[in-house]
Amino acid sequence: MNHITKKFNTAANQVNITSAEQAGIKARLMAAMAANPATDRSTQRHQSPVQNPAYHVQKSIVSPFLSWMQMSVHIRSQYVGIFLVTLIVLGGVSSAAERALPGDSLYEVKTSVNENIRSLFSLTPQSKAQLHVELAVRRLEEAEKLAVTGKLDTMTKDDVEKKLDQHLAVINDTILTLEEAIATDPSATEAIGDAGVSTANTLMVTEAPVSDLSDEPAQPIAPSSAPMAKMGKKMVSPAATDVNPAAATNDTAPDHTAATFSMRAEPASFAAPMALTAPSAEPVTPAATSATMSVSIAHFASSSDSSVTSGTTSPSTISATTTESVLTSALESKFAEATAVLKQGSAKISARKYGEAAILFQKAQRLANEIRVDLDARTASSTASTTPAASVTTSASSTAATDTASTTTVIKQ
Amino acid sequence: MLNRHNMRKDDIEQNFIALYDSLSAALFRHCFFRLSNRERALELVQETFLKAWEYVQSGQEVKNYKAFVYHIANNLIIDEYRKKKSTSLDVMQEEGFDVANNDEAEIIQSVEISQVKQALNQLPEKYRQVIVMRFIDGATLTEISETTGQSENAISVQLNRAIKMLQNIIRP
């Protein structure tokens, strides 16, 4: 032990840094110290950060994205991952909800999330009304599907009806707003007329199918047709003098499915109201669907006639001719669609898929109704009798209706 | 030594230079026996004080400057060892034996120095550290413990084992 300490002491004493080496290091150290001087703590310590101007400078130039940029790539990718997963999950739920029906767990997501998001994007009253018309049709289609699959019970029915009422209320409010806008600014008439016509048409169309859905057609439709009728009445402005006598008939027969309501459907001449009568007083037979179809087509002739007479009293008819060609092509495409749907329905029947066939026929009927309403709108605004194109469409519609009648009878048998 | 409270900028710098003057010779010796290389030891002394200045200059509090400086040096030496380990056996042999031949100062060194260096070369690194601190720097157990961060007990055990190994290497 002693010899070790001795050896180490001797060795240690012999190893020394030379003064030149020491001075060399010292010079380099002092140069480094001059380049990087000490921060003066005696002054810095007693100054609050707020008083120190350097603090403000530093604060003001810090970018809000700096913390994000300073994160390690690993952590950043984690955040991005979480965000993407959330997005995918929400998107999946949302798109799955699109197919949900009343009674499904995702139905609420569909109606209160998806559709509310859509309504955020409809900024003008017109587009808002358009959207809610679309949604009302959607509610009816849901009821249709439920009825076909036999799932339309009181609960789901109430649900659909409640939602339908809400949509109708919104549409009604929007129309009232538009009317007010018209009162203050007559130049807005055209746009509002367009919105009005599509609203009216679509609602007319939606009336019939629900009545055919259930085994007892009168009951389920009664509550939902009530607001429609109400709405129709509301929509009648003081200028609407033309009241169809069929309305009275319908009032006396409350059990009948279709409601009668008056609405303005003429695009440009907003002041000229016209009465549209949905098929009323129909016998509730097994072949109700086809019967409704043919009756509605047959009815078309008379209602258009009456509309024509009321149209002749209408003072503003000028702009109708300008929209005529547009309307004709729209009608033709609609008719083509209806025919296609009928063909699909027939195919389903031959494939013995009667449920799907029934839906398709109902759709065809709806399209036929739409065509009828469009034609009504046109004839009402036109002083002349039905145009050749319209008559062609009408006869074609009748043929389509006959087709449906025969096929539906086949199903029932 | 360097009480930073209410200390002015110039004082801090002067005190740091004073610290260098008082510690550099001992630190150089320490590094020399740890690395067995005079040139590298000089570089390490400079590096240690530069690092210490970086820390002091930024306004950080230092309680024991001697322990602080030795702690930095120790870390740098450990880095040095890691670098050596990663090199090939040939390079290690070169540095272990041939470097002395390249260095004039090493050639003329005494028998004692070469004996001690050889003995230290055979010790594991952690024993080498405590032996150098104890017998070259003349540090107490408390000082060693402050520098290395280990307990005095652990240091004492390491010292005992290291001395036993040295006794086997260096015969009287």
Side-chain angles (χ1 to χ4, degrees):
Chain A
M1 176 71 195
N2 273 341
H3 68 274
I4 292 176
T5 36
K6 222 188 227 170
K7 271 215 164 77
F8 268 84
N9 276 335
T10 340
N13 286 334
Q14 284 171 358
V15 172
N16 271 311
I17 188 166
T18 62
S19 49
E21 286 165 342
Q22 205 171 16
I25 295 175
K26 191 173 173 175
R28 286 190 283 273
L29 184 63
M30 283 170 86
M33 282 165 74
N36 199 6
T39 44
D40 207 337
R41 284 180 100 225
S42 55
T43 49
Q44 194 195 350
R45 280 177 80 238
H46 302 294
Q47 208 174 26
S48 85
V50 185
Q51 288 166 331
N52 184 354
Y55 180 82
H56 292 288
V57 171
Q58 207 180 6
K59 275 276 158 188
S60 61
I61 56 169
V62 167
S63 154
F65 301 104
L66 195 64
S67 60
W68 173 255
M69 295 309 289
Q70 278 173 344
M71 270 184 212
S72 76
V73 176
H74 179 67
I75 295 174
R76 238 189 295 174
S77 65
Q78 270 184 343
Y79 277 106
V80 170
I82 291 168
F83 177 73
L84 284 180
V85 166
T86 319
L87 212 67
I88 289 165
V89 167
L90 287 182
V93 167
S94 168
S95 68
E98 277 298 299
R99 290 185 297 275
L101 290 176
D104 292 351
S105 48
L106 284 179
Y107 184 66
E108 280 304 314
V109 176
K110 175 185 179 179
T111 54
S112 38
V113 179
N114 289 10
E115 290 174 0
N116 275 346
I117 289 173
R118 276 182 73 188
S119 70
L120 285 181
F121 290 98
S122 37
L123 300 173
T124 62
Q126 283 94 331
S127 61
K128 198 177 163 191
Q130 201 103 43
L131 173 74
H132 280 275
V133 167
E134 229 173 86
L135 294 180
V137 174
R138 225 171 146 181
R139 293 293 89 80
L140 290 164
E141 279 173 352
E142 284 162 10
E144 207 171 284
K145 281 178 193 162
L146 283 175
V148 169
T149 48
K151 285 178 190 159
L152 189 70
D153 54 17
T154 16
M155 257 183 58
T156 48
K157 202 177 79 187
D158 284 352
D159 200 11
V160 171
E161 277 167 3
K162 217 168 80 188
K163 293 211 161 72
L164 193 61
D165 284 353
Q166 284 168 4
H167 293 312
L168 294 177
V170 172
I171 296 164
N172 213 16
D173 284 351
T174 321
I175 286 172
L176 285 176
T177 329
L178 288 170
E179 273 180 354
E180 278 163 27
I182 265 193
T184 52
D185 180 17
S187 63
T189 318
E190 188 124 338
I192 295 161
D194 284 349
V197 101
S198 61
T199 314
N201 288 355
T202 324
L203 284 182
M204 264 308 284
V205 165
T206 55
E207 192 67 9
V210 177
S211 66
D212 300 328
L213 285 179
S214 117
D215 293 328
E216 307 155 286
Q219 269 73 35
I221 193 62
S224 61
S225 68
M228 281 219 187
K230 254 189 273 162
M231 191 189 115
K233 277 172 201 156
K234 262 194 198 169
M235 281 168 69
V236 177
S237 67
T241 46
D242 189 353
V243 178
N244 197 300
T249 326
N250 206 39
D251 285 345
T252 55
D255 272 354
H256 288 303
T257 54
T260 305
F261 50 103
S262 310
M263 62 180 74
R264 284 178 256 148
E266 200 274 309
S269 61
F270 203 77
M274 84 179 222
L276 294 177
T277 324
S280 60
E282 280 170 26
V284 185
T285 59
T289 319
S290 55
T292 317
M293 185 89 152
S294 33
V295 169
S296 59
I297 300 295
H299 196 85
F300 157 69
S302 60
S303 71
S304 64
D305 284 346
S306 66
S307 302
V308 168
T309 37
S310 74
T312 45
T313 60
S314 164
S316 56
T317 53
I318 310 129
S319 58
T321 44
T322 58
T323 53
E324 191 152 319
S325 58
V326 181
L327 275 170
T328 311
S329 63
L331 280 175
E332 275 164 2
S333 69
K334 247 179 205 169
F335 175 69
E337 198 187 338
T339 326
V341 170
L342 276 177
K343 268 184 194 159
Q344 283 174 15
S346 310
K348 291 284 177 196
I349 283 178
S350 40
R352 291 173 179 272
K353 288 177 179 166
Y354 300 121
E356 286 173 44
I359 294 176
L360 285 169
F361 285 133
Q362 278 159 10
K363 193 177 170 191
Q365 187 198 357
R366 220 161 49 213
L367 286 167
N369 269 331
E370 270 178 56
I371 294 164
R372 180 171 63 83
V373 173
D374 281 355
L375 281 172
D376 277 355
R378 271 181 63 187
T379 43
S381 61
S382 157
T383 44
S385 57
T386 327
T387 60
S391 56
V392 168
T393 321
T394 318
S395 62
S397 303
S398 312
T399 329
T402 331
D403 280 358
T404 328
S406 56
T407 42
T408 319
T409 322
V410 171
I411 308 170
K412 296 296 174 182
Q413 285 163 355
Chain B
M1 198 191 293
L2 282 182
N3 185 8
R4 292 194 50 100
H5 283 288
N6 303 319
M7 200 183 274
R8 289 192 51 236
K9 195 177 141 189
D10 294 348
D11 298 338
I12 298 170
E13 284 171 6
Q14 272 175 16
N15 283 342
F16 193 78
I17 295 296
L19 185 77
Y20 170 78
D21 288 341
S22 66
L23 287 181
S24 56
L27 191 69
F28 167 73
R29 207 174 287 135
H30 177 90
C31 293
F32 176 84
F33 283 101
R34 291 287 294 280
L35 296 168
S36 311
N37 184 337
R38 191 183 171 84
E39 283 307 309
R40 198 68 198 107
L42 283 173
E43 281 168 21
L44 226 77
V45 169
Q46 181 179 312
E47 228 176 304
T48 302
F49 277 99
L50 286 176
K51 272 204 184 297
W53 175 249
E54 260 177 47
Y55 190 84
V56 169
Q57 154 305 306
S58 66
Q60 308 262 19
E61 208 70 45
V62 179
K63 277 177 186 161
N64 184 343
Y65 270 82
K66 194 180 174 185
F68 170 65
V69 167
Y70 271 87
H71 187 77
I72 295 173
N74 208 24
N75 286 342
L76 289 172
I77 290 163
I78 291 167
D79 285 350
E80 198 80 0
Y81 272 94
R82 286 194 185 128
K83 270 188 232 161
K84 259 190 188 175
K85 262 187 192 169
S86 65
T87 54
S88 72
L89 186 67
D90 292 338
V91 175
M92 276 173 75
Q93 277 177 334
E94 253 176 34
E95 286 184 1
F97 304 100
D98 298 340
V99 162
N101 299 337
N102 298 340
D103 198 324
E104 263 181 64
E106 308 267 330
I107 297 167
I108 54 162
Q109 72 197 357
S110 72
V111 184
E112 279 85 6
I113 295 174
S114 37
Q115 267 189 341
V116 167
K117 273 171 71 178
Q118 260 188 342
L120 285 171
N121 271 334
Q122 294 176 47
L123 288 182
E125 172 48 27
K126 67 174 178 178
Y127 291 163
R128 191 171 175 162
Q129 182 190 358
V130 285
I131 287 290
V132 168
M133 289 191 92
R134 183 77 190 86
F135 295 114
I136 303 288
D137 306 335
T140 62
L141 278 184
T142 319
E143 283 173 332
I144 299 172
S145 136
E146 272 175 10
T147 310
T148 58
Q150 290 171 299
S151 74
E152 286 185 34
N153 235 352
I155 299 294
S156 138
V157 170
Q158 283 174 21
L159 257 180
N160 273 325
R161 286 180 186 161
I163 288 167
K164 266 180 196 159
M165 285 175 93
L166 274 180
Q167 277 170 337
N168 284 333
I169 298 163
I170 307 171
R171 303 274 168 200

